[in-house]
Amino acid sequence: MSVEVRVPTILRTYTAGEKVVAADGASLEAVIQDLDVNYPGIADRLLDESGLRRFVNVYLNDEDVRFLDGLKTPIADADSITILPAVAGG
Amino acid sequence: MLVIRRSLVDAMVTHARADHPDEACGVIAGPDGSDRPERFVPMVNSARSPTFYEFDSGDLLRLYRDMDDRDEVPVVIYHSHTATEAYPSRTDVSYASEPAAHYVLISTRETGTEDGPYELRSYRIVDGAVTEEEVRFLAG
């Protein structure tokens, strides 16, 4: 499954400045692993030992994957994934 | 240095007072590459808390799509502190993820929802390092 992934400014250091990159995978987890093959280190910015980092939002098309199936969310051809760091603080 | 129109400052302060004692938050978008805050976008604090703020995740996606469509970036990211000074907290620093943005903090601790003196300061937050910057106000 080939999908486009929109990368936020803060992670474009991994993608040589690219805003949109392509990745493959049948689930979100597989897409992130594939991203990490081409852009080493990026997975670590998205995941911790418990899964998706609390303050990283990932959307499949228009939906936050937390309201879908998280990392197990199935990905179909031509889906679009958007990564956005939470805007949050204290 | 942040250069900003007085009316945009007033809009942030009005929002901060309206949401006091909870923290208020939002952005001022501007043309990509301009460093000029222009379009005021107040956001809902989905945490509804006096000690924390977070943009709702659906609102966040719509905001960034909208800015993309208009070739804008978040020039200012603002939020209020309602019981402490207008200085970034440890959580503010650890979650800051727009190194090109001006992080504006407004403290409403002195006057709450009322008119009166307030504190407004601006910072860059890059790789965990906080640098305060001058704010210059423009008429209008």
Side-chain angles (χ1 to χ4, degrees):
Chain A
M1 304 300 142
S2 180
V3 291
E4 68 166 40
V5 181
R6 301 185 75 82
V7 179
T9 313
I10 191 114
L11 296 182
R12 287 180 205 156
T13 48
Y14 294 92
T15 60
E18 288 300 320
K19 204 170 173 176
V20 182
V21 299
D24 287 304
S27 67
L28 178 60
E29 192 164 25
V31 167
I32 292 174
Q33 282 166 2
D34 186 57
L35 276 179
D36 202 61
V37 171
N38 293 312
Y39 311 106
I42 200 168
D44 195 46
R45 301 292 300 271
L46 305 176
L47 307 173
D48 58 21
E49 53 289 343
S50 61
L52 208 52
R53 289 184 182 273
R54 162 72 179 86
F55 289 100
V56 174
N57 296 326
V58 179
Y59 307 85
L60 174 65
N61 303 318
D62 293 331
E63 197 68 53
D64 187 327
V65 299
R66 289 195 180 84
F67 302 119
L68 300 169
D69 207 3
L71 287 173
K72 295 191 176 65
T73 302
I75 305 295
D77 230 6
D79 272 346
S80 168
I81 292 172
T82 303
I83 302 167
L84 284 177
V87 179
Chain B
M1 180 173 63
L2 170 64
V3 180
I4 184 167
R5 295 203 318 271
R6 180 64 74 176
S7 58
L8 292 168
V9 172
D10 291 346
M12 290 190 286
V13 171
T14 301
H15 184 200
R17 286 179 172 151
D19 283 12
H20 184 93
D22 286 345
E23 293 192 9
C25 55
V27 309
I28 306 177
D32 192 5
S34 72
D35 202 33
R36 199 170 64 236
E38 286 188 350
R39 191 168 64 89
F40 179 68
V41 190
M43 300 294 287
V44 168
N45 176 4
S46 70
R48 289 174 208 286
S49 160
T51 56
F52 196 74
Y53 80 96
E54 182 171 9
F55 292 7
D56 171 78
S57 106
D59 292 350
L60 180 73
L61 179 65
R62 280 185 289 278
L63 170 69
Y64 272 78
R65 285 210 174 142
D66 210 23
M67 289 193 295
D68 258 4
D69 290 347
R70 298 164 182 251
D71 282 323
E72 289 175 339
V73 294
V75 178
V76 166
I77 298 175
Y78 74 88
H79 77 283
S80 62
H81 284 173
T82 58
T84 56
E85 66 174 330
Y87 191 85
S89 64
R90 254 186 301 172
T91 38
D92 291 336
V93 176
S94 61
Y95 302 137
S97 56
E98 290 287 0
H102 302 269
Y103 281 88
V104 169
L105 278 97
I106 301 136
S107 176
T108 54
R109 67 175 166 174
E110 295 295 337
T111 49
T113 59
E114 304 297 319
D115 285 349
Y118 58 85
E119 196 189 358
L120 181 143
R121 294 161 72 182
S122 183
Y123 307 86
R124 298 287 189 169
I125 307 177
V126 181
D127 290 335
V130 177
T131 311
E132 185 161 10
E133 60 182 3
E134 189 190 332
V135 182
R136 182 184 292 169
F137 302 101
L138 299 176

